[in-house]
Amino acid sequence: MTTPLRALALIAGVMLAATVSAVAQTPAEGPPPYRPSLADLMSTTVQPRHVKLAFAGREKNWVFAAYELKQLSDAFDRLSLQWPQWRQQRIVELVETIVRDPLFELDIAIKNKDEAKFAEYYGHLTDACNACHQAALQTPVVIQDPKESMFPDQDFRPKP
Ligand code: HEC
């Protein structure tokens, strides 16, 4: 390359680099990405599934119960990734030590289509919700066996 050409190539290279870095530095338009709070995730990904699971068991709809149990377990996985630490609490460890056992027990009851065991282990799951709320000092949040479904558009009965 001759010297003038080399100079031109250099200038072009510098301009390209400047453009790329200007694009990279341009602030994105609009609000920052939404990060759901732990309470948002509890109310939208955990609480409804806790309710649905109860109705699946009451209707002895074991296929749906297995589905919903997986959804609930996955919801705990995702919130542990988003909030491994929440204030002073290691959420990821609390999930492993408090809810994994009742989820495992429920899995067995569902596989055995055992209504009595399902009810017993569902009670353990609800106790686990409250145990973690107490551990995390969220004592005003009290979970119970749901009395009514809040999903009037969902049929929990097994398919004939
Ligand atoms: C690993 C610990 C842990 C477990 C297990 C847990 N929670 Fe929570 N939950 C929390 C914490 C911490 C908060 C408070 C979060 C906040 O204020 O941002 C909370 C808050 C809540 C709230 C209040 C949210 C709101 O905005 O009103 C509900 C409802 C809830 N949890 C439901 C449940 C249910 C149902 C279960 C069991 C299936 C459960 N949680 C299991 C830690 C846990």
Side-chain angles (χ1 to χ4, degrees), residues 37-40 42-43 46-48 50-51 72 76 79 86-87 89-96 98-99 125-126 128-133 136-138 141 143:
S37 72
L38 183 56
D40 291 345
M42 285 285 161
S43 328
V46 170
Q47 190 177 18
H50 177 258
V51 174
L72 181 60
F76 277 117
L79 73 80
W86 182 83
R87 299 190 186 167
Q89 312 301 327
R90 292 290 301 156
I91 295 297
V92 61
E93 277 146 33
L94 288 172
V95 164
E96 291 315 310
I98 296 179
V99 271
L125 173 65
T126 304
C129 306
N130 290 320
C132 195
H133 294 157
L137 302 179
Q138 293 309 302
V141 183
I143 303 302

Side-chain angles (χ1 to χ4, degrees), residues 35 37-38 41-42 45-46 72-85 91-92 95:
R35 184 188 184 198
S37 72
L38 183 56
L41 295 174
M42 285 285 161
T45 73
V46 170
L72 181 60
S73 174
D74 290 353
F76 277 117
D77 288 347
R78 288 190 300 268
L79 73 80
S80 298
L81 284 174
Q82 288 296 317
W83 291 96
Q85 179 84 31
I91 295 297
V92 61
V95 164

Side-chain angles (χ1 to χ4, degrees), residues 88-126:
Q88 310 302 318
Q89 312 301 327
R90 292 290 301 156
I91 295 297
V92 61
E93 277 146 33
L94 288 172
V95 164
E96 291 315 310
T97 52
I98 296 179
V99 271
R100 285 301 169 206
D101 282 354
L103 292 178
F104 182 72
E105 289 178 329
L106 277 165
D107 186 47
I108 295 172
I110 292 168
K111 284 190 175 123
N112 292 334
K113 303 183 170 86
D114 188 332
E115 203 184 344
K117 285 284 176 213
F118 181 93
E120 181 185 338
Y121 298 154
Y122 186 86
H124 293 175
L125 173 65
T126 304

Side-chain angles (χ1 to χ4, degrees), residues 14-27:
V14 168
M15 281 171 67
L16 181 68
T19 314
V20 167
S21 93
V23 167
Q25 280 166 18
T26 306

